[in-house]
Amino acid sequence: MKKQWILTILVLCLSLFGAHLSLAQDLQKSSDDTLTRMLAEGWKIVNDGVLQRELVPGQVESFAFGVPGFTWKVKDLQKQLQKLQAEFRANPTSELRKAIANHRKAIANAKRALEIARSAEALGETDVLKESCAINFSYDASAGAKTNVQGVFASSSATFSANCGFTGQVYAYAFAKTTVNGGELTETVTDGPRSGANVSASAYASRNGGAPCESYAYGEMVSYGLNPSSWSKSASSTNNCPPPVNPPTVTVTSDNASVIDLYYTDCVYITWTTNISPGTPPYSTVMYWNNSSLGSRTSYSTWICNAQSTYNETITIRSDVTDSAGQTGSGSHTTTIRHHYYREADPCGRNGQICP
């Protein structure tokens, strides 16, 4: 690799986007100093036209420019596409189909930037816009385990704005996958690619469940100019979805009183409801009436009428819950129905007789 070539293009790109990176704040310093500062901040030259740094395990920031950089970028996006296609073959969802279509657009746009870079190189273009141009952009990606429930998340974003006719592209996608009852659950969200002088994109995906689990996020900004450049961040997390500390807490409530008096032809309609927290959704819930199963449900409703004889009826509604992490919880509610033979609450109304 020609060191002077990479340094020249690097300084041009950094001078254009200095509002984003602290390492370009003093553009009066030499090219060697700019590269030294990038290397000191963890950037590494991984290929002609490509610098990268790992911010935290699984989170990688990339900077690509010129013909070699966008050649690498096209191949990198194609690798991501292959992964999405493999997921689609295993789980053919509409979300993944949309993500594949959008990712192909991003690849096509990267190829277009590559052709722009080739034209600039052939013409010997080495200068950026000569006019004053304020450009701001951002990009981010994160992925990992949820902290409140068992599962994973992925989040990405990118923005670009310019006041001088300069255009950029933003693209974001997020993917999350967990295992529930032996089956895979996935969510894929994409936003963009979108081009213009003031554009933004964001994506967030999450899934609750147990291992094996996986999440991935990608956010990028591509600048189109005399010398295209790209900033991006990717984040990935695999098999990192530990179960929460606490199992689900279950309570059963009723929309009526716990003790109900029924006289003569009185009837009452009662609904019992299962309440769950926190645990790991989704939940499997079975309800019971005095230990007799009511089936898989989270609520139960019924009419109860006076039996026109005097006795107390005790109804205990129980809910047994299993969350997606395999943890269990149970709760119950007891309702007492007091059946009365009398027509009214006043025993003087016994057998329909009129009291003196």
Side-chain angles (χ1 to χ4, degrees):
M1 178 177 57
K2 297 180 181 178
K3 182 179 180 183
Q4 187 58 45
W5 179 82
I6 189 173
L7 290 175
T8 300
I9 301 298
L10 177 61
V11 170
L12 289 174
C13 292
L14 291 178
S15 65
L16 185 58
F17 301 110
H20 182 75
L21 293 178
S22 61
L23 23 107
Q25 290 176 346
D26 186 1
L27 298 175
Q28 301 303 315
K29 294 187 177 182
S30 66
S31 300
D32 290 297
D33 186 53
T34 302
L35 180 60
T36 298
R37 293 175 64 186
M38 290 192 74
L39 296 177
E41 293 192 3
W43 292 88
K44 295 180 180 179
I45 300 173
V46 297
N47 193 27
D48 279 0
V50 182
L51 286 87
Q52 287 185 329
R53 64 174 173 176
E54 186 175 42
L55 302 173
V56 296
Q59 189 180 70
V60 179
E61 191 173 10
S62 302
F63 172 53
F65 54 91
V67 174
F70 278 93
T71 300
W72 170 87
K73 184 173 182 64
V74 169
K75 293 180 180 179
D76 183 59
L77 289 172
Q78 288 172 337
K79 289 179 181 178
Q80 296 179 32
L81 177 62
Q82 291 172 358
K83 179 174 176 57
L84 289 172
Q85 290 171 328
E87 291 293 344
F88 181 79
R89 288 190 292 270
N91 300 285
T93 65
S94 58
E95 293 173 346
L96 279 165
R97 180 180 285 108
K98 178 182 177 181
I100 289 171
N102 288 339
H103 211 72
R104 283 175 173 156
K105 293 178 184 177
I107 293 173
N109 290 344
K111 290 180 177 178
R112 181 167 69 90
L114 175 58
E115 292 306 313
I116 295 174
R118 283 187 177 136
S119 298
E121 186 176 282
L123 295 173
E125 296 283 2
T126 59
D127 202 1
V128 293
L129 295 178
K130 300 181 186 308
E131 62 209 72
S132 174
C133 187
I135 295 178
N136 293 284
F137 67 91
S138 65
Y139 53 96
D140 197 14
S142 59
K146 294 185 176 183
T147 57
N148 57 334
V149 296
Q150 187 174 23
V152 291
F153 77 94
S155 177
S156 61
S157 63
T159 66
F160 176 91
S161 63
N163 65 355
C164 54
F166 209 26
T167 62
Q169 173 193 285
V170 292
Y171 176 49
Y173 87 82
F175 171 79
K177 178 171 66 175
T178 58
T179 303
V180 176
N181 298 325
E184 292 182 349
L185 288 180
T186 67
E187 183 176 26
T188 311
V189 179
T190 56
D191 192 11
R194 180 175 299 119
S195 300
N198 189 356
V199 287
S200 63
S202 63
Y204 180 83
S206 70
R207 271 288 175 250
N208 296 331
C213 55
E214 179 181 358
S215 59
Y216 182 83
Y218 178 77
E220 74 163 14
M221 187 288 303
V222 179
S223 159
Y224 295 112
L226 297 178
N227 292 287
S229 61
S230 168
W231 300 87
S232 63
K233 186 183 292 186
S234 63
S236 61
S237 174
T238 58
N239 294 316
N240 184 24
C241 48
V245 176
N246 298 319
T249 299
V250 182
T251 59
V252 178
T253 57
S254 169
D255 65 347
N256 217 307
S258 295
V259 178
I260 302 172
D261 288 288
L262 297 180
Y263 298 90
Y264 197 52
T265 58
D266 288 349
C267 292
V268 64
Y269 188 76
I270 310 176
T271 297
W272 293 271
T273 303
T274 304
N275 307 281
I276 309 169
S277 68
T280 304
Y283 308 103
S284 173
T285 305
V286 178
M287 297 186 73
Y288 296 84
W289 174 298
N290 290 343
N291 294 323
S292 295
S293 177
L294 295 170
S296 178
R297 59 174 66 239
T298 58
S299 68
Y300 180 74
S301 301
T302 189
W303 282 99
I304 299 176
C305 294
N306 182 27
Q308 295 191 0
S309 61
T310 302
Y311 75 98
N312 292 341
E313 178 184 9
T314 300
I315 303 170
T316 299
I317 301 296
R318 188 180 86 248
S319 291
D320 292 347
V321 174
T322 302
D323 69 8
S324 61
Q327 301 179 112
T328 61
S330 183
S332 64
H333 184 280
T334 298
T335 301
T336 299
I337 308 294
R338 298 194 298 201
H339 297 265
H340 299 273
Y341 180 72
Y342 310 123
R343 176 175 300 199
E344 302 175 11
D346 184 352
C348 202
R350 181 181 305 176
N351 297 324
Q353 298 176 1
I354 299 175
C355 296

